[in-house]
Amino acid sequence: MRLKSALFFTVPLEFKISTGASFRSSHHVIAIERGGVSGFGEGFGNPYRAMMALGAQAGHILCEARDYGLEELREAVSSGRLRPPMCLELALLDLLSREAGAGVSELMGGPARREVRAFHVIPIRRKEEMVREAVRLASRGWGLKLKIGRGARQDLELVKAVRKAVGPGTPIAVDANQAYPPRTAVNLFRRMERYDVRLVEQPCFKKDLAGLAAVRRALDTALMLDESVSNVVELHRAVEHGAIDVLNLKICRLGGFFKALDVLQACADNGVGIYVGTGRELGIGAAALLHISSIVPNGLFYGCEIGWWHFLGFNIVREPLGPVGGVVEVPRGPGLGITLLEPERIRELVRSRGGRPMDTAPHLLGLRSTAYTALQRATSLLHALNRPYYLARELSEALRRPLAFI
């Protein structure tokens, strides 16, 4: 088993939420090979850190996994004996499933559904732009998740305008990204319920489980947590506080595909609903999200969020992965069921969007990685200055764990 190829690239992209902003989107795509069979994986975020992680870990992990089947890989990752980066875990998942001649969801116990209700996120922009984008997406069959948190009046006007524009049939979720104190959240979302909002996501600070529980008790709309839960222990804590109806289950937040399966099982055991969310996954990661969505038990599934490629203006796989009649078909065929574009074609697409492929590791990787992270955090911190509730809670949390910001 060997690392066959790795491609890193960054594309200019403005994406704003209530408590942060970014102005570029960095991704990496890898291929591994064993006995003529290839598996594909992807990741996103700090490209220099990804280069260092692959350089330091890929050889050891691929050597360790050389005799694994899918169950052995899952046990090794879930137990913590093997800690592959997300891109490498997805590539191993794809490769081993292809070798078994079956789709990922079939090897995970069989799909509960072959079609998945798909949602697309709309970042914070001017109200008129967000409404136009909502109409465009709804006309193509997408459910909508609106990023909100600019202020109660503005948020209420936005949701009212979107609901009027798209009509009653399109499901709408809203995500405040921790912007509001509990009392403000209760007042806002009680009023917002008249516009048939399907889910209210993370209205209050991630550690304020008592406040989130108070919001949940006050609303008829399901309360979804994201930032509050990054593992099984935190899920159980949220359940004990009565602070959760639905979990935004993200591979990237939960530590990878197999850790996400462990959290999925804990949700099922506790009757917690599941909305499969996206970080910045392109086609490979989106296929993994669709496979996870297909095995969520009936009665607990709230939707799957994909489509980051629309922000970039291109995808890295041949399959369209878009909704038809409001649903996306789970990819068929062995492995993740996707076909990666040729590397040179991906490079062309990156350059066409003003981006930059990085085929070789630059000098001073460690320093570049630190600078990249510091810039991202500073940008988000500056953007959060107009959210005093969130900023005060975040700084308080950082002072308790000073190494978290270093």
Side-chain angles (χ1 to χ4, degrees):
M1 190 180 293
R2 69 185 182 96
L3 180 64
K4 184 179 177 182
S5 64
L7 173 62
F8 301 79
F9 60 88
T10 297
V11 176
L13 171 67
E14 182 178 310
F15 190 89
K16 293 182 179 180
I17 62 175
S18 65
T19 52
S22 63
F23 297 93
R24 55 184 167 180
S25 192
S26 298
H27 301 262
H28 44 283
V29 183
I30 70 166
I32 62 173
E33 184 181 53
R34 177 167 66 181
V37 179
S38 294
F40 305 106
E42 67 157 299
F44 52 89
N46 188 327
Y48 310 111
R49 181 181 295 167
M51 288 178 184
M52 290 191 295
L54 276 175
Q57 301 176 37
H60 162 72
I61 289 171
L62 293 176
C63 181
E64 179 75 18
R66 66 186 181 278
D67 298 321
Y68 283 179
L70 202 57
E71 282 305 312
E72 290 85 359
L73 177 64
R74 180 174 182 178
E75 190 279 328
V77 174
S78 294
S79 68
R81 193 173 73 251
L82 204 64
R83 301 175 184 272
M86 188 178 89
C87 64
L88 199 51
E89 183 188 37
L90 289 178
L92 285 165
L93 176 70
D94 189 34
L95 173 66
L96 295 177
S97 301
R98 288 175 188 267
E99 288 181 335
V104 166
S105 56
E106 294 168 355
L107 296 173
M108 295 291 119
R113 61 193 60 80
R114 287 289 185 183
E115 295 178 327
V116 170
R117 187 19 142 166
F119 282 72
H120 200 295
V121 67
I122 301 178
I124 288 179
R125 300 170 181 159
R126 291 188 305 109
K127 184 182 81 170
E128 295 76 12
E129 293 180 81
M130 294 180 72
V131 171
R132 282 198 300 270
E133 182 67 358
V135 170
R136 187 184 72 84
L137 291 169
S139 70
R140 298 182 181 186
W142 293 95
L144 308 174
K145 187 169 89 170
L146 306 175
K147 291 292 188 178
I148 62 171
R150 286 183 290 188
R153 182 182 59 80
Q154 289 174 282
D155 288 348
L156 198 61
E157 289 178 355
L158 170 67
V159 174
K160 177 182 178 181
V162 168
R163 174 55 74 198
K164 181 179 179 182
V166 302
T170 299
I172 296 175
V174 294
D175 182 6
N177 286 109
Q178 313 179 71
Y180 291 117
R183 184 175 296 181
T184 304
V186 168
N187 292 334
L188 168 61
F189 294 114
R190 273 178 173 169
R191 297 169 68 192
M192 196 177 285
E193 286 183 319
R194 71 187 71 170
Y195 303 118
D196 189 24
V197 173
R198 179 77 56 89
L199 292 164
V200 171
E201 182 176 355
Q202 202 69 51
C204 311
F205 188 68
K206 59 188 175 184
K207 299 291 186 181
D208 188 5
L209 294 180
L212 287 161
V215 175
R216 177 174 176 258
R217 288 192 300 270
L219 300 181
D220 294 324
T221 306
L223 184 72
M224 180 161 69
L225 297 188
D226 178 8
E227 290 91 340
S228 294
V229 177
S230 59
N231 52 52
V232 171
V233 172
E234 291 180 348
L235 174 70
H236 286 153
R237 191 175 298 138
V239 170
E240 289 165 5
H241 278 79
I244 184 170
D245 291 307
V246 180
L247 177 66
N248 185 344
L249 187 141
K250 291 181 177 176
I251 291 176
C252 56
R253 184 177 299 284
L254 299 173
F257 187 90
F258 292 111
K259 293 290 181 68
L261 290 183
D262 295 338
V263 175
L264 188 159
Q265 184 59 56
C267 285
D269 293 342
N270 287 277
V272 174
I274 295 171
Y275 171 98
V276 178
T278 189
R280 297 190 172 202
E281 287 89 350
L282 300 176
I284 300 171
L289 300 181
L290 290 167
H291 278 282
I292 283 188
S293 297
S294 76
I295 63 173
V296 175
N298 287 319
L300 294 180
F301 183 63
Y302 279 74
C304 177
E305 179 185 312
I306 56 175
W308 189 263
W309 51 89
H310 292 136
F311 298 121
L312 264 62
F314 66 90
N315 205 346
I316 59 173
V317 301
R318 297 187 187 282
E319 292 73 16
L321 300 179
V324 177
V327 295
V328 177
E329 185 177 10
V330 178
R332 296 180 181 269
L336 291 169
I338 46 83
T339 310
L340 187 68
L341 297 179
E342 292 297 321
E344 189 51 45
R345 177 57 181 157
I346 296 175
R347 293 186 187 95
E348 291 174 2
L349 291 168
V350 169
R351 294 189 186 100
S352 74
R353 305 299 295 184
R356 179 168 61 95
M358 295 179 282
D359 293 312
T360 58
H363 297 298
L364 303 173
L365 270 181
L367 182 61
R368 289 172 183 264
S369 176
T370 300
Y372 183 99
T373 300
L375 180 60
Q376 290 291 103
R377 287 178 174 171
T379 300
S380 290
L381 186 64
L382 287 171
H383 189 76
L385 289 176
N386 64 342
R387 301 259 61 88
Y389 159 77
Y390 166 77
L391 189 59
R393 296 301 298 266
E394 189 66 66
L395 291 175
S396 175
E397 185 70 18
L399 289 173
R400 292 194 194 97
R401 298 182 293 105
L403 292 178
F405 271 19
I406 294 177

